[in-house]
Amino acid sequence: MTETSERPDGKVGVVIVAAGRGARAGQADGPKQYQRIGGRAVIAHTLERFLSHPAVGPVVVAIHADDRELFEHAAGANAARTLVVTGGASRQASVRLGLLALREQAPAKVLVHDAVRPFVDAGLIDRTIEAIGERQGALPALPVADTLKRESVEGMIEETVSRAGLHAAQTPQGFPFWPLLAAHEKAHHLGKNEFTDDAAIAEWAHIPVKIVQGSPENIKLTWARDIAMADQRLSNALPRFPDIRTGNGYDVHAFEAGDHVTLCGVTIPYDRKLSGHSDADVGLHALTDALLATCGAGDIGTHFPPSDPQWKGVASKIFVEHAAKLVRELGGRIANADVTLICEAPRVGPHRKAMTAALGAMLRIAPERISIKATTNEKLGFLGRGEGIAAIATASVVYPGDVPA
C-alpha cells in the first residue's frame, strides 16, 4: 500500500506496547503485564478493551523476545486476533516496530497504548480517536492536582513549580498513521532514542497534539501495590452471578485385533484393541468434548482433525490437557469430571484408582473431584455383543461470574 491509501473500513490500528520487563512490580508471574488481576493477566484485560471496541481494526502487540509463551497463555483465544512482533530495547523502539508491522494494513489513524493500563474505557478511546486529524495527534491527559516541588542536588526543596497548564499524560495516544511512522523512522535513523512517549516524538517532529480529557481510572500499573490494588478492584468491584457450566461428551470406538486397550489414560491388557486415529481412548475423547463444551470451543475434531497425520497414534491425554488449558485461559476452574465407560469387557473396576490418578494429573484437580464408573449394555446392541466400547463424560466448570446489568 502507498502512504496515501487507507483501510476501506475506516478502522483504527492499535499498537500495544508490552515488551518491558517491569521489575518494579515484582516477578511472581513474569513481567507486570503478565501478572494476574481479577483472575486474568493484566494484558488480557487490556487486549479485551481494544478488541471489543467497534472502531478498532488491526491490533499489533510488541512483546519481549522471551515472552511468546507467556503472551499466548495470557491472551488465550485473543492471541489469534492480534499480530505479535518482537519489541526493541526501549519503548520507542517497540512502538516503531509495531508501526512498521501495520504498514500493509495502512490504517488512517493509529493508537499507541501501554499494556499495563488495563482500565482504559471505550469513552476515552472514542475521545482520542475523534481528536485525531490529518496532521494532528491526540493525547489523553489529566491536569496535575498535586503541588510540585523541584529538588536540589542536596535533596532539599529548591523551588515550588507552578502546576498551571501541566498535565499528566496517559495512553492511548492517537495520531495519523503515516506522519507518526515517518517521525519514528526519522528519529531512528538520526539515533534519537530519548523519547518516553509518542507525544514527545510528535512534538519533536512538529506534529501538533491536542489534549483530550483523560480518565482517573486509566492508571498505569507500575509497582507491586498497583497490581494488588487492581486485583482487589476487579475481584470485589461488583457482586457477580455464579457462572457454572456443564458440558457433555460422547464417544464410541469399535474393537480390532490387538493386545490391549487404553481407557482414561491407563493401559489395560486385553485380547483386542480399540480402533481409532490416536490411541482411541474413548473415555478421554468424551471428556475432551465435555470440557470444550463448557466454553463453546467446538469439539475434539475441531482441534485435532483425524485427517491430520500428526495425531496418528498419539496419547489422548494431549487432547484433554489442551481442552483444560483453554478452560483455564478463560478463567475457568474445573469443578469435577465424571466419565462412564460402557462395555461388556474388559473390567474397569481394578483400574479405577489408576484412571483417577491419571485424570487428576491431566486436569490438575483432586481425586475427589473425579468420578469414573463402568456399566454393561446388558448384552443389547453392538456394545452388548462386545463389538466396542462407548463413553459418556460430564464436566462442570466454574467461570468468572457475570456482572449484573
Side-chain angles (χ1 to χ4, degrees):
M1 287 186 174
T2 66
E3 293 192 12
T4 58
S5 63
E6 62 181 67
R7 289 180 60 85
D9 59 9
K11 296 288 189 179
V12 177
V14 177
V15 174
I16 295 179
V17 190
R21 297 293 79 198
R24 287 175 291 181
Q27 298 289 317
D29 295 309
K32 58 188 177 183
Q33 58 269 36
Y34 301 110
Q35 296 195 31
R36 297 176 75 81
I37 58 174
R40 301 168 64 200
V42 170
I43 195 171
H45 294 277
T46 304
L47 279 174
E48 193 170 85
R49 298 294 177 111
F50 286 94
L51 290 171
S52 63
H53 194 284
V56 168
V59 175
V60 175
V61 185
I63 67 172
H64 192 276
D66 297 337
D67 292 349
R68 173 71 67 160
E69 186 175 344
L70 272 175
F71 172 76
E72 291 181 353
H73 178 74
N78 281 335
R81 300 176 62 193
T82 65
L83 175 60
V84 179
V85 298
T86 300
S90 66
R91 184 188 189 281
Q92 179 182 332
S94 294
V95 173
R96 172 180 166 269
L97 293 168
L99 292 171
L100 288 172
L102 279 175
R103 282 184 303 180
E104 289 299 313
Q105 311 232 28
K109 300 177 180 181
V110 64
L111 301 175
V112 181
H113 188 68
D114 299 323
V116 290
R117 289 185 186 269
F119 297 117
V120 60
D121 59 62
L124 178 55
I125 294 172
D126 287 337
R127 291 194 296 275
T128 306
I129 292 173
E130 289 168 5
I132 302 171
E134 288 187 9
R135 287 290 304 175
Q136 172 182 288
L139 169 72
L142 293 173
V144 173
D146 296 327
T147 298
L148 301 176
K149 304 291 184 180
R150 191 185 307 281
E151 180 185 8
S152 70
V153 293
E154 294 84 12
M156 307 296 288
I157 294 176
E158 187 172 276
E159 64 172 319
T160 299
V161 180
S162 173
R163 64 189 182 208
L166 294 182
H167 289 74
Q170 298 184 335
T171 66
Q173 297 178 10
F175 303 90
F177 176 73
W178 291 111
L180 181 64
L181 176 58
H184 268 277
E185 288 287 78
K186 182 177 179 180
H188 173 70
H189 291 303
L190 293 177
K192 296 185 68 66
N193 54 14
E194 70 274 16
F195 301 108
T196 57
D197 73 353
D198 297 281
I201 287 186
E203 180 184 353
W204 170 76
H206 305 293
I207 301 171
V209 179
K210 180 179 178 60
I211 291 179
V212 298
Q213 180 187 351
S215 168
E217 304 297 317
N218 185 29
I219 60 172
K220 184 177 182 180
L221 306 185
T222 302
W223 304 95
R225 63 177 177 271
D226 298 332
I227 301 291
M229 291 174 65
D231 181 49
Q232 184 177 22
R233 170 181 169 179
L234 287 173
S235 300
N236 303 325
L238 290 170
R240 293 177 178 268
F241 291 125
D243 188 3
I244 302 172
R245 308 179 194 176
T246 300
N248 293 310
Y250 174 82
D251 196 35
V252 61
H253 285 280
F255 283 123
E256 63 180 14
D259 60 5
H260 72 277
V261 295
T262 303
L263 295 174
C264 292
V266 175
T267 299
I268 301 174
Y270 193 55
D271 59 7
R272 286 173 289 173
K273 73 182 184 72
L274 292 172
S275 174
H277 190 60
S278 61
D279 63 3
D281 190 327
V282 65
L284 294 191
H285 292 185
L287 180 57
T288 300
D289 275 348
L291 290 167
L292 294 173
T294 68
C295 54
D299 59 19
I300 191 170
T302 305
H303 299 262
F304 305 97
S307 57
D308 190 335
Q310 70 173 310
W311 309 122
K312 184 174 178 60
V314 300
S316 296
K317 66 175 290 187
I318 293 174
F319 308 155
V320 172
E321 289 173 346
H322 172 77
K325 180 173 179 286
L326 290 180
V327 166
R328 288 194 298 272
E329 286 174 349
L330 293 171
R333 180 174 61 84
I334 300 171
N336 83 295
D338 180 26
V339 179
T340 300
L341 299 168
I342 309 168
C343 59
E344 301 298 322
R347 291 186 61 207
V348 170
H351 307 282
R352 185 177 286 112
K353 185 175 181 180
M355 292 178 180
T356 300
L359 286 191
M362 295 176 212
L363 302 177
R364 303 183 192 176
I365 60 176
E368 60 267 23
R369 296 185 178 273
I370 298 169
S371 172
I372 297 174
K373 307 184 296 294
T375 186
T376 70
N377 220 40
E378 299 293 340
K379 304 294 183 181
L380 299 174
F382 69 95
L383 293 173
R385 293 191 298 270
E387 296 174 8
I389 298 178
I392 299 171
T394 303
S396 296
V397 178
V398 182
Y399 287 92
D402 293 328
V403 177

